[in-house]
Amino acid sequence: MRRIVGLVLLVGAIGSACTSDTGGDRVAGDPPASTGPSSTGPGAPEPDEGLPSGPPALARELTRTWEARRAAVVAWVETGGAAEWPPPSALELLVLREQRIYRELASDPHLAERVLARLPDELVPEAERTVAAGAALYEHLSPLERVPDLRTRPPEPAGILLGYFEAAEERFGVDWEVLAAVMLIETRMGRVVSHSSAGAQGPMQFLPATWATFGMGGDIRDERDAVMGAANYLAASGAPRDYRAALYEYNPVRSYVTAVTNYAKAMRREPETFYAYYNWQVFVRTTTGDVRLTGPGRKFG
């Protein structure tokens, strides 16, 4: 695709970058981070509540939040809620807290190593891959001087997006997890609708010239068409035989390839992780701190 600067580089869409070990997405005027477990419990954390400090407390908080989030995802999916928008508020809050913790860990390899060593065995593979993906992008990105004027909107329901990914896998042989990881990084599952600084468009961030070749006559802004176009492009670039080469053709940034690969591996090992990633919010990392643009307490626009 040859568009090195995509929305992932514009908005820091790793959801894993932060400027403080304890503040998450705090900005000036926020209360200080707590020094212990969440005061409201992992079932209903406040969206910007401070995270605990220190590896033991942070590991306990991630474990509790992960356990509660998994239960919330199961209930959401089993009742058919994933086919509709919006997700349950409690689930969004749990995922946001989990995402903020992963941002902490991705920004500090030493802290991540100590926290990962304290997690239960069942959580470690997902946590390691999520942190590795975020850290790769964090190393590549520089903070912005100001928050860009980004347009956002609610994404398609999770169940509908998953259907698009699976249909594209069936047609082109590209793993649905890879396609989901691409959309996660590019536009947070379609939440960001602005063009990139290089002119890439749509939920899978295609340059118009590339879309003309691989978009199969579809709408670059339509989620289903964009997913099909991305699968077509990746298959033509070597997937599934060589995913890394295909992803590098899609976006020639090695940290991007590493991030997509790790997010995809996390979903491949535990498919329910898709529903957590689906609920990740848009953050912008600036020189004065991180700013959250979507999610609880924020409006799309």
Side-chain angles (χ1 to χ4, degrees), residues 171 210-220 222 225-226 228-229 232:
R171 179 169 178 179
T210 309
W211 182 257
T213 302
F214 297 98
M216 301 176 291
D219 182 351
I220 196 172
D222 179 81
D225 291 351
M228 287 293 178
N232 185 25

Side-chain angles (χ1 to χ4, degrees), residues 80-171:
E84 302 173 351
W85 176 269
S89 297
L91 175 59
E92 283 195 310
L93 287 167
L94 286 165
V95 172
L96 176 60
R97 190 161 185 82
E98 190 177 38
Q99 182 185 4
R100 291 176 58 214
I101 294 171
Y102 280 130
R103 288 175 34 234
E104 288 264 332
L105 303 184
S107 71
D108 186 337
H110 184 53
L111 175 65
E113 181 180 4
R114 290 181 291 168
V115 170
L116 290 170
R118 291 172 166 83
L119 298 178
D121 291 344
E122 189 179 7
L123 171 55
V124 169
E126 176 184 322
E128 286 182 337
R129 287 161 182 155
T130 302
V131 170
L137 292 173
Y138 182 83
E139 290 174 1
H140 184 81
L141 298 170
S142 296
L144 301 177
E145 292 293 331
R146 60 182 180 83
V147 178
D149 184 17
L150 294 178
R151 292 183 297 115
T152 61
R153 70 177 182 189
E156 287 281 346
I160 291 176
L161 280 183
L162 181 57
Y164 296 159
F165 298 138
E166 291 176 335
E169 177 180 14
E170 182 176 353
R171 179 169 178 179

Side-chain angles (χ1 to χ4, degrees), residues 168 172 179 204 206 211 214-216 223-235 250:
F172 293 102
L179 297 167
M204 299 298 270
F206 269 90
W211 182 257
F214 297 98
M216 301 176 291
E223 282 81 356
R224 183 186 183 282
D225 291 351
V227 169
M228 287 293 178
N232 185 25
Y233 187 84
L234 289 169
Y250 196 93

